[in-house]
Amino acid sequence: MRASDPVALRASTAQPVTLTRMGFGGAPLGNLYRRVEEADAQATLQAAFDGGMRYFDTAPQYGLGLSEQRFGQAIRRFGRDAITLSTKVGRLLEDCPPDAVTPTAFVDTPQKKIVYDYTYDGVMRSHEASLARLGVERVDILLVHDVDVFTHGSQEASAAKVRELFDGGGYRALCELKEAGQVRAIGAGVNEWQVCERLLGLGDFDAFLLAGRYTLLEQEALDSFLPLCVKRDVGIILGGPYNSGILATGAIEGARYNYEPAPADILERVRRIEAVCAAHGVRLIEAALQFVMGHPAVRTVIPGAMTPEEVQANIALFSRNVPAGLWSDLKGQNLIRPDAPTPEEN
């Protein structure tokens, strides 16, 4: 499998959307955790394009609009029709005084505050603002961003945002945009598979960008959600294949899991997985990146990158052969689920 291999978001749809098996996730170029110089950001986007990636994902949240602006500059070089582009709705960015800027993990951002809005008006306004920042007339995939517990703090708060999406007209707005041909696919980008499953019970979605919830460390989504996606031909865009760091760095001091320092039980599990990988001559990061592609619902993976070198490393990792015996040994030691599809099976 190569990063540049094309794949359909859905097997059959009135408006076909083609991705590449590896895409580029735009969060790091919003200055996630540290500043990225403009020239470096553009070099990183160019490396992704030159490496064959043709799917690019961003969001207003990423750097409070900075990531979208940087994508816009790159798209003017690539040509809009050369790529498949997704962004997200649910967060409006409003001008504000310096002391009112929304605190985030992004640094050196524009002077904006975030206002959550999943209503009809909120979706339409967010979509129009993204088009302006990107400098394009359309995006291909429009995703509802973060109607999840991780973002809003409780199951009740997440449920309220889902109700707002449907009762407040946000879902209707998405459908209107799709019916008018202004976007070709709609879905959600979230940190939890459970809310995706709930959304599938309420509406018709083409795709979900699922961050960190189907990895070498987590396969609970196999119970019901991923089989439902296969049944309904819903494409999964897999973000966070490294669980925000630990499956790339290994169980080192300070390793991060779900954006926080990894707890002891996760560190121990990663050490055990690393040992099995080492026995097969495979790096942990290689196994993590390729494992997720074993599931038939997963159409593409979008690992983060801040530099051209990181992009090139991800592309190289993706194309390496991982022996089938690695997966069987991980299953035999109960380190991944026995029912987890693996790359040689898909």
Side-chain angles (χ1 to χ4, degrees):
M1 188 182 301
R2 298 177 303 170
S4 59
D5 288 343
V7 62
L9 181 65
R10 303 186 79 172
S12 57
T13 179
Q15 302 183 73
V17 178
T18 301
L19 312 173
T20 43
R21 294 295 265 174
M22 181 179 286
F24 186 88
L29 297 191
N31 289 350
L32 183 61
Y33 304 128
R34 64 178 178 84
R35 178 180 175 85
V36 179
E37 297 298 330
E38 186 63 38
D40 295 333
Q42 294 305 318
T44 302
L45 286 161
Q46 192 67 48
F49 187 83
D50 292 345
M53 295 183 198
R54 293 296 182 268
Y55 171 50
F56 290 77
D57 171 75
T58 184
Q61 180 203 12
Y62 303 158
L64 302 185
L66 180 61
S67 177
E68 287 185 319
Q69 292 168 0
R70 287 172 163 174
F71 270 46
Q73 291 189 43
I75 291 167
R76 286 190 282 277
R77 295 195 306 274
F78 303 159
R80 176 62 190 89
D81 293 337
I83 66 166
T84 297
L85 177 64
S86 63
T87 192
K88 305 180 183 75
V89 294
R91 287 177 173 89
L92 297 174
L93 304 180
E94 298 184 355
D95 293 332
C96 65
D99 60 354
V101 172
T102 301
T104 67
F106 300 93
V107 304
D108 290 335
T109 63
Q111 194 171 301
K112 303 285 185 180
K113 67 177 180 179
I114 289 172
V115 177
Y116 289 100
D117 192 334
Y118 298 96
T119 66
Y120 182 95
D121 181 64
V123 167
M124 291 300 196
R125 288 172 59 200
S126 179
H127 175 239
E128 287 299 320
S130 286
L131 293 182
R133 284 188 293 268
L134 288 160
V136 299
E137 294 183 352
R138 61 178 171 81
V139 296
D140 300 292
I141 307 169
L142 196 58
L143 303 168
V144 177
H145 205 186
D146 288 343
V147 285
D148 50 31
V149 174
F150 181 87
T151 300
H152 297 289
S154 70
Q155 186 61 56
E156 292 75 18
S158 170
K161 296 304 181 186
V162 172
R163 287 195 303 273
E164 181 179 315
L165 177 68
F166 285 89
D167 297 345
Y171 175 71
R172 177 165 57 89
L174 291 171
C175 292
E176 287 183 8
L177 289 168
K178 184 179 175 184
E179 289 164 5
Q182 293 178 264
V183 301
R184 293 192 291 159
I186 60 173
V190 295
N191 295 279
E192 296 146 15
W193 64 265
Q194 293 89 341
V195 73
C196 297
E197 189 166 283
R198 184 171 183 217
L199 291 171
L200 276 179
L202 296 170
D204 184 18
F205 293 92
D206 301 290
F208 292 106
L209 197 169
L210 185 62
R213 298 286 77 81
Y214 184 67
T215 69
L216 274 180
L217 286 171
E218 299 187 34
Q219 296 110 49
E220 188 181 358
L222 289 170
D223 289 338
S224 56
F225 172 60
L226 288 177
L228 181 61
C229 289
V230 172
K231 181 179 179 180
R232 292 182 53 173
D233 186 26
V234 174
I236 296 296
I237 300 161
L238 205 292
Y242 307 138
N243 278 123
S244 78
I246 193 167
L247 290 176
T249 64
I252 62 172
E253 183 177 353
R256 300 180 75 85
Y257 170 73
N258 287 351
Y259 311 103
E260 301 288 345
D265 62 324
I266 293 295
L267 288 168
E268 178 56 29
R269 189 172 185 85
V270 170
R271 288 188 191 99
R272 293 180 61 199
I273 294 173
E274 283 186 284
V276 176
C277 290
H280 286 272
V282 174
R283 295 167 60 199
L284 175 66
I285 191 173
E286 293 174 4
L289 189 58
Q290 296 205 24
F291 168 75
V292 298
M293 302 306 296
H295 199 285
V298 176
R299 304 295 198 259
T300 184
V301 62
I302 51 171
M306 278 187 164
T307 67
E309 292 75 19
E310 289 178 356
V311 169
Q312 292 154 5
N314 283 332
I315 291 171
L317 291 169
F318 196 75
S319 64
R320 291 180 185 161
N321 292 323
V322 172
L326 169 64
W327 312 121
S328 59
D329 284 354
L330 288 172
K331 290 180 178 183
Q333 295 189 34
N334 200 32
L335 291 171
I336 60 174
R337 284 179 43 154
D339 58 340
T342 50
E344 80 277 1
E345 300 167 2
N346 184 16

